[in-house]
Amino acid sequence: MSKKIIGRVDKVDFPKLGLYHIDVKMDTGAYTSAIHCSEIIKENDTLRCIFNSAVHQNFGKTEIVFHNYTHTNVKSSNGYKENRYKVKSEVIFFGKTYKINLTLSTRDDMKFPVLIGRQFLKQKFLVDVDLENVSHLSRQYEYSHPF
C-alpha cells in the first residue's frame, strides 16, 4: 500500500461525531490521537460526551453516547501521565473514511482541537511539514471539478 503525503495541519470530518471541517495537527511525537471533548458523563456503562467549544471553529454543541470505550494512560510532552477515555470513531482524509482511536481531552487552551498521532498515521501517510491542508484542498478540487 502506497502512503499519501499529508501536511502538518489539515481540515477533516468526523461524521460519526457530527463534526465537519475540523482543524487537526499531525503529531508524530504522540502515539494516540486526541480530540477535544468539553464534557464527559459516565452513565450506566456508557459515556455521554459533549463536543462543544467557543474557541475551536466548527465545534458546535454535539452530544454523542458511546457504548464501547476503554481507558488508556497518556504521557504528555511535559512528562505527566493522564488516564483518559478512548473511543473508536471514523475520520475522513482525501475523501476516504478511516477508523480511528481517539482519546478524549479538554483542549480549549490548545490551538488545535485534534491531534493525529502515529498509531493512525503509520502505514497510511507520510508527513511533510512544509505542507498544509493537503487533504482538504484535494477534496475542494474534487467537488469543484466533477469529472
Side-chain angles (χ1 to χ4, degrees):
M1 174 158 111
S2 67
K3 297 179 186 180
K4 284 199 170 279
I5 296 175
I6 195 157
R8 64 184 180 87
V9 297
D10 219 315
K11 290 180 185 294
V12 299
D13 298 336
F14 295 90
K16 287 191 169 188
L17 304 179
L19 299 170
Y20 299 92
H21 305 290
I22 302 299
D23 291 321
V24 299
K25 179 180 177 184
M26 307 314 138
D27 187 352
T28 60
Y31 180 70
T32 55
S33 299
I35 190 166
H36 169 73
C37 184
S38 55
E39 192 174 349
I40 302 168
I41 303 158
K42 190 172 177 182
E43 299 175 324
N44 305 323
D45 295 327
T46 65
L47 280 186
R48 188 160 51 103
C49 300
I50 300 170
F51 298 93
N52 187 30
S53 178
V55 177
H56 298 301
Q57 274 190 326
N58 301 323
F59 258 78
K61 191 168 187 173
T62 305
E63 189 173 311
I64 305 290
V65 174
F66 293 96
H67 297 280
N68 297 312
Y69 60 91
T70 58
H71 292 89
T72 189
N73 287 320
V74 176
K75 188 175 177 182
S76 65
S77 59
N78 57 15
Y80 290 107
K81 283 187 182 177
E82 181 181 7
N83 192 274
R84 292 186 191 165
Y85 289 107
K86 183 166 69 171
V87 298
K88 294 178 188 277
S89 194
E90 293 179 349
V91 64
I92 299 175
F93 278 91
F94 295 100
K96 182 177 176 184
T97 302
Y98 297 92
K99 293 180 190 293
I100 188 168
N101 292 315
L102 297 164
T103 62
L104 305 176
S105 178
T106 303
R107 297 187 53 80
D108 263 338
D109 57 341
M110 304 294 187
K111 184 172 180 180
F112 290 90
V114 178
L115 294 179
I116 303 294
R118 291 190 317 270
Q119 182 184 40
F120 176 79
L121 294 169
K122 70 180 179 182
Q123 299 178 354
K124 293 181 216 59
F125 301 103
L126 290 175
V127 179
D128 183 337
V129 297
D130 290 328
L131 302 176
E132 293 184 5
N133 299 321
V134 179
S135 170
H136 180 67
L137 292 173
S138 74
R139 289 182 61 204
Q140 283 183 328
Y141 181 79
E142 287 174 22
Y143 295 143
S144 64
H145 296 85
F147 40 84

